[in-house]
Amino acid sequence: MTERKLAILQIAQGLFMEKGYTATSVRDIAKSAGVEPASLYSHINGKEELLDRTCFEMAEKFLTGIEEVNDIYFDAAQKLKMAVDTHVNILTNHIDAAVVFQRDWRHLNEVRRSEFIELRNAYEDGFRVIVQNGIDEGLFSEVDVKFAALTILSSLNWIVEWYDPKGKLTASEIAANLFNFTFTGLKK
Amino acid sequence: MTERKLAILQIAQGLFMEKGYTATSVRDIAKSAGVEPASLYSHINGKEELLDRTCFEMAEKFLTGIEEVNDIYFDAAQKLKMAVDTHVNILTNHIDAAVVFQRDWRHLNEVRRSEFIELRNAYEDGFRVIVQNGIDEGLFSEVDVKFAALTILSSLNWIVEWYDPKGKLTASEIAANLFNFTFTGLKK
DNA sequence: CCTACCGATCGGTAGG
DNA sequence: CCTACCGATCGGTAGG
């Protein structure tokens, strides 16, 4: 990917985040990039390529992250801590792309949407493995594994709705809070 | 609101949920309703009215719910249980509208979007009050109140991403699981 | 990277 | 609730 193409992709991600993929026009992207709409097409195949790249590049980052965590033989509590940390880091380091990844993957074409959902399931599976490990090791209480993994991911994913890079909480503070919340709960 | 208008609203909510507000055309709605596009305009002012009603009717349901909970003088753990239960019930009873409410409020016009955000903040405040109560009563550990409220709401809201009315978990089972998770955490 | 332009579709209106 | 139609905008192409 050329520098120019990367720049266009990042401009598009910013607009997609702000207005949503569907509500962002090729003309919007061209205007932000400072060129005529037709000029974009010497860099990209079409608007959908920008969405596609965003969704799949993020999916790969997440998958690589969880695989690294599950390859290391720590106990489940440590693994969970690492997984939460990795997830929060990816989200906060690519907040524009993360919002698009979460919200607009539905607008991928049918084939790519299926592929995307598979990657997503694989990622969720990584969290299920951690929860199951925790139960087997006697560290976690005997919860519904699927439900627990989904709930953990809920708390992690909602970050994109309120995260502010200039806010008072750093990424690692957010991650630490989330791990505590997930592991210990509110109860005193 | 006439019966016919209500029917149109519900048809629109189903389509908005499936494809998103922006990607749903007035023609899509008309087709699902079995009329010509122009005929819709004797019932509605425009496409945005359908979004507006969906967002604000849901917002009011949530607000009424949390106010009822906070008006009753139980302890914070009981209040939290009730608030989670109410939230899950509203979501699962109006799953189409809930998805739209969560995802597409950004497409309200500027004035209404501000009003919507205020209602949302008021709702979040209701959860903050519960968490603060819990700390004051010595039931909850001394967490960051804003962060905790947000994290609870994250787990609750993500339901719309996976809830299936025909799935094996009923709404009250989901609510019970979520309360346990939030209150007790994973730790054994 | 531009000018010029395409057919398709958009939300919505006039008039009945 | 319909037919007929509006101007605006859509994603994208031809040709240079």
Side-chain angles (χ1 to χ4, degrees):
Chain A
M1 193 154 55
T2 63
E3 250 183 77
R4 189 77 184 108
K5 184 165 182 174
L6 185 63
I8 290 167
L9 180 60
Q10 285 168 345
I11 286 165
Q13 287 168 348
L15 291 167
F16 292 165
M17 175 185 69
E18 252 182 69
K19 318 169 56 154
Y21 172 73
T22 318
T24 301
S25 69
V26 171
R27 281 158 180 80
D28 291 332
I29 300 166
K31 198 175 175 185
S32 286
V35 294
E36 294 302 316
S39 305
L40 289 177
Y41 289 87
S42 53
H43 299 288
I44 61 170
N45 297 326
K47 185 184 166 188
E48 199 185 331
E49 187 195 341
L50 297 166
L51 175 65
D52 193 283
R53 276 186 190 273
T54 304
C55 292
F56 282 87
E57 282 177 9
M58 289 303 287
E60 267 173 43
K61 281 189 217 298
F62 283 118
L63 262 180
T64 306
I66 197 76
E67 278 163 12
E68 278 174 18
V69 168
N70 271 329
D71 277 353
I72 300 176
Y73 295 156
F74 289 147
D75 69 43
Q78 287 169 308
K79 274 189 184 175
L80 180 59
K81 194 169 174 43
M82 285 174 65
V84 169
D85 222 79
T86 304
H87 191 100
V88 173
N89 267 316
I90 296 171
L91 282 188
T92 53
N93 284 330
H94 309 273
I95 187 67
D96 292 13
V99 172
V100 178
F101 162 85
Q102 296 238 358
R103 191 220 283 144
D104 286 324
W105 61 268
R106 283 159 243 270
H107 301 292
L108 291 167
N109 67 57
E110 222 171 319
V111 176
R112 294 294 274 166
R113 195 166 57 239
S114 302
E115 291 172 12
F116 180 85
I117 290 171
E118 267 186 52
L119 294 182
R120 241 186 176 223
N121 285 341
Y123 185 64
E124 288 173 13
D125 246 351
F127 275 80
R128 285 187 209 114
V129 167
I130 294 178
V131 174
Q132 187 62 60
N133 284 354
I135 296 173
D136 295 344
E137 294 165 8
L139 292 170
F140 297 174
S141 55
E142 289 181 19
V143 293
D144 179 328
V145 173
K146 278 174 72 173
F147 189 89
L150 221 41
T151 306
I152 296 167
L153 279 165
S154 306
S155 340
L156 300 186
N157 283 333
W158 200 258
I159 293 176
V160 305
E161 300 286 333
W162 55 265
Y163 176 69
D164 174 9
K166 290 164 295 187
K168 67 169 186 169
L169 289 177
T170 65
S172 60
E173 285 169 342
I174 293 172
N177 275 346
L178 281 170
F179 171 74
N180 280 339
F181 193 86
T182 302
F183 190 55
T184 312
L186 270 177
K187 195 170 61 183
K188 189 157 191 175
Chain B
M1 193 154 54
T2 63
E3 248 181 81
R4 190 74 184 111
K5 183 164 181 174
L6 184 63
I8 289 167
L9 180 60
Q10 284 168 347
I11 286 166
Q13 287 168 349
L15 291 167
F16 292 165
M17 175 185 68
E18 252 183 70
K19 318 170 55 153
Y21 173 74
T22 319
T24 302
S25 68
V26 171
R27 280 157 180 82
D28 291 332
I29 300 166
K31 199 175 175 186
S32 284
V35 295
E36 294 302 316
S39 305
L40 290 176
Y41 290 87
S42 52
H43 299 287
I44 61 169
N45 297 326
K47 185 183 165 188
E48 199 184 331
E49 187 194 341
L50 297 166
L51 176 65
D52 193 283
R53 275 186 190 275
T54 304
C55 292
F56 281 88
E57 283 177 8
M58 289 302 288
E60 266 173 42
K61 281 190 215 299
F62 283 119
L63 262 180
T64 306
I66 196 75
E67 278 163 11
E68 279 174 18
V69 169
N70 271 330
D71 275 354
I72 301 175
Y73 297 155
F74 289 148
D75 69 43
Q78 287 169 309
K79 275 189 184 174
L80 180 59
K81 195 169 174 41
M82 286 173 65
V84 169
D85 222 79
T86 304
H87 191 100
V88 172
N89 267 316
I90 296 171
L91 282 189
T92 53
N93 283 331
H94 310 271
I95 186 67
D96 292 13
V99 172
V100 178
F101 161 84
Q102 297 239 358
R103 191 220 282 144
D104 286 324
W105 60 269
R106 282 159 244 269
H107 300 293
L108 291 167
N109 68 55
E110 222 170 321
V111 174
R112 294 294 274 166
R113 194 165 58 239
S114 301
E115 291 172 12
F116 180 85
I117 291 172
E118 266 186 54
L119 293 182
R120 241 187 176 222
N121 285 341
Y123 185 64
E124 287 173 14
D125 246 351
F127 276 80
R128 285 186 209 115
V129 166
I130 295 178
V131 174
Q132 187 62 60
N133 285 354
I135 296 173
D136 295 345
E137 294 166 7
L139 291 171
F140 296 174
S141 54
E142 290 182 17
V143 293
D144 178 329
V145 173
K146 280 175 68 173
F147 189 88
L150 221 40
T151 306
I152 295 167
L153 279 165
S154 306
S155 339
L156 300 186
N157 283 332
W158 201 257
I159 293 175
V160 303
E161 300 287 333
W162 56 264
Y163 176 68
D164 175 9
K166 291 163 295 188
K168 68 168 187 171
L169 290 177
T170 66
S172 60
E173 285 168 342
I174 292 172
N177 275 347
L178 280 171
F179 172 74
N180 280 338
F181 193 86
T182 302
F183 190 55
T184 312
L186 270 177
K187 195 170 59 184
K188 190 157 190 174

